[in-house]
Amino acid sequence: MIRRDVLVVGAGPAGSTAAEMAAAAGCDVLIVDRKAEIGSPVQCGGFVPEAFELGQLLPNAHLPQSLVEIPSRCLLHRTSLQRLYSPYGRTAQFSVAGRCLDRRAFDRYLAGRAARAGAEIAPGTRFVPGRENRLCGRASGKVQAEVIIGADGPSSATARLLGVSPRAGAEVGVCIEYEMVGVDIDAQAAEMYFGTAWAPGGYAWIIPLGQDSANVGIGIRPSYLSPGQSLTYILDRFIARHPQASQRLGGGKVVAVMKGLVPSGGMPSAIAGPGILLAGDAAGQVMATSGGGIPLAMVGGRLAGETAEAYVRGEGQLSDYPSRIDEEMGRELGSSVKIRSLVDLVMRSDRSMDLLFSRLEPEMMKDIMRGKMPGRLGSICSKIGL
Ligand SMILES: Cc1cc2nc3c(=O)[nH]c(=O)nc-3n(C[C@H](O)[C@H](O)[C@H](O)COP(=O)(O)OP(=O)(O)OC[C@H]3O[C@@H](n4cnc5c(N)ncnc54)[C@H](O)[C@@H]3O)c2cc1C
């Protein structure tokens, strides 16, 4: 029997942050990840706003130091703009200082911080929940912990112990992304492209990784797909045929393919229960308007680690965790889900989406991407008959 104060399932941004916090405060922490190589394969675009932008995005959150100051070895590039394309090619842009991560290096960096704080790490180890929880792989056997922190991503097995799923509440976003080289992109701009032909129910993105390389992907909702369409087909068509993007991407070469899921329905009905906390994607802590989850996962992880540590010391309850999450990012999480539902209404029609684009000022779009409901959005929607 493996016994620990805290078992953290998943060594992504949420899990490693949680493990670092709990271990640094003196808990006996084991962190397991089914990946033999932490951080690989990558399932992410790696775009994270600079710390001062995050301060505006999540004004009540205490950002972990590891998110505020990311070491240069984990950074591939920096951008200064976000540019949006409507289905009919209208553009809008606003300033956003962004960091483009080497996600593999970043996950390893975070896991290293957890290890240096005292956590034991078991890569290549899967957590199997059940009446008796088990570990399989490098660490193997029955496992017991005073607290299990489920930071095991959008298909969380740990969430099943609470009878919930981070994929409930709204249709999950499915994503495919290519790392491309030899592209002729605007290295200053992270770009988003909308339109039913290019990214049904979601958007396509270009995240620069340098002068001639980029992560190029689409995130869509399956119910918006026409019969017979595959994700690969849609992304290839975007690269080859989008009027603006194809000119930048057409000559590029694909060097890596990544796939993954993004929960976009907000937090499930329970993120804490007897002996269990959920953090990051496993807890639906994702900005539903953009699908960006790294900053929220790290704030969620920090709070889960702190709550677990206080509980182990006998100075707090696990049931404190949801209200702490609410205090630090509940408003932004909630309104991003509402905005996403509203934008969903528009997304099925390119005409309506284009009209919405024409009515929104760039700063309002920035607010929307940050999960802030601009006062006029509701009235604009009713004006265009939604
Ligand atoms: C294609 C794509 C692009 C994205 N781009 C961006 C972006 O540009 N910016 C951004 O902010 N967000 C982006 N996201 C979202 C972001 O990747 C996630 O929100 C973030 O990784 C969440 O961190 P996490 O620690 O909660 O989960 P994860 O990073 O998913 O980590 C979960 C870990 O748990 C492990 N695990 C799962 N099950 C088990 C088990 N049973 N036992 C042991 N280990 C297990 C997994 O191996 C994994 O390492 C993107 C997502 C996708 C799919």
Side-chain angles (χ1 to χ4, degrees):
M1 174 71 81
I2 300 164
R3 286 198 174 84
R4 292 290 187 281
D5 293 340
V6 179
L7 170 71
V8 180
V9 184
S16 289
T17 307
E20 180 188 347
M21 294 301 145
C27 286
D28 180 14
V29 179
L30 171 63
I31 176 165
V32 299
D33 201 297
R34 64 185 176 192
K35 292 177 181 170
E37 200 184 337
I38 303 283
S40 180
V42 173
Q43 293 173 297
C44 188
F47 182 82
V48 178
E50 292 282 0
F52 74 90
E53 300 273 7
L54 290 173
Q56 293 167 15
L57 180 77
L58 299 170
N60 300 324
H62 301 290
L63 304 176
Q65 196 54 25
S66 49
L67 177 61
V68 173
E69 281 173 29
I70 298 177
S72 56
R73 69 172 192 279
C74 302
L75 291 177
L76 296 170
H77 187 64
R78 284 192 149 90
T79 53
S80 57
L81 284 177
Q82 200 156 340
R83 186 175 298 126
L84 276 53
Y85 289 80
S86 82
Y88 298 149
R90 256 180 229 280
T91 59
Q93 65 183 44
F94 42 83
S95 65
V96 176
R99 297 173 282 185
C100 307
L101 301 179
D102 176 340
R103 200 33 226 271
R104 183 171 164 275
F106 186 58
D107 281 18
R108 297 244 196 142
Y109 163 69
L110 295 178
R113 286 181 64 110
R116 288 188 182 95
E120 183 189 341
I121 304 207
T125 302
R126 178 185 292 271
F127 173 70
V128 183
R131 229 162 23 91
E132 285 181 327
N133 296 318
R134 301 190 70 87
L135 299 179
C136 297
R138 204 176 137 79
S140 208
K142 290 181 198 162
V143 62
Q144 269 184 4
E146 285 196 52
V147 187
I148 298 175
I149 298 178
D152 43 351
S155 303
S156 172
T158 317
R160 287 205 289 276
L161 292 171
L162 288 181
V164 297
S165 164
R167 292 157 64 173
E171 202 182 354
V172 71
V174 293
C175 308
I176 182 169
E177 181 180 72
Y178 296 158
E179 184 182 334
M180 296 185 72
V181 296
V183 290
D184 182 20
I185 47 157
D186 176 351
Q188 280 313 307
E191 296 188 327
M192 300 168 83
Y193 295 80
F194 296 87
T196 51
W198 317 116
Y203 66 88
W205 63 82
I206 301 178
I207 299 174
L209 301 177
Q211 289 305 321
D212 80 334
S213 56
N215 281 333
V216 180
I218 54 167
I220 59 119
R221 243 84 56 73
S223 74
Y224 287 70
L225 281 179
S226 306
Q229 283 185 325
S230 73
L231 281 183
T232 311
Y233 167 79
I234 298 172
L235 179 55
D236 288 344
R237 186 175 60 180
F238 170 72
I239 291 167
R241 308 239 306 260
H242 187 282
Q244 284 97 2
S246 63
Q247 292 176 20
R248 297 165 180 233
L249 304 173
K253 300 250 172 14
V254 175
V255 294
V257 180
M258 300 159 249
K259 286 184 180 167
L261 303 176
V262 172
S264 57
M267 289 192 287
S269 52
I271 56 168
I276 297 168
L277 301 175
L278 301 177
D281 276 12
Q285 292 162 353
V286 174
M287 200 57 83
T289 40
S290 65
I294 297 169
L296 291 87
M298 292 178 72
V299 173
R302 196 204 95 234
L303 287 168
E306 288 175 0
T307 308
E309 182 269 325
Y311 175 76
V312 168
R313 267 193 295 118
E315 290 179 6
Q317 299 301 320
L318 297 185
S319 53
D320 296 340
Y321 175 64
S323 55
R324 295 190 66 191
I325 290 284
D326 258 7
E327 267 167 39
E328 296 208 14
M329 55 187 188
R331 194 184 51 193
E332 291 76 17
L333 270 166
S335 64
S336 77
V337 172
K338 274 193 204 138
I339 293 173
R340 202 224 62 245
S341 316
L342 216 53
V343 174
D344 275 357
L345 298 173
V346 190
M347 279 214 167
R348 289 196 186 269
S349 153
D350 284 345
R351 212 187 118 267
S352 302
M353 192 69 185
D354 203 68
L355 203 53
L356 187 64
F357 248 80
S358 71
R359 301 290 163 93
L360 292 177
E361 286 132 31
E363 283 307 308
M364 288 168 81
M365 292 192 187
K366 185 171 182 175
D367 279 349
I368 289 176
M369 298 313 300
R370 289 172 164 181
K372 286 197 190 125
M373 179 80 82
R376 277 174 52 204
L377 186 61
S379 58
I380 287 169
C381 286
S382 53
K383 254 191 216 160
I384 61 176
L386 294 168

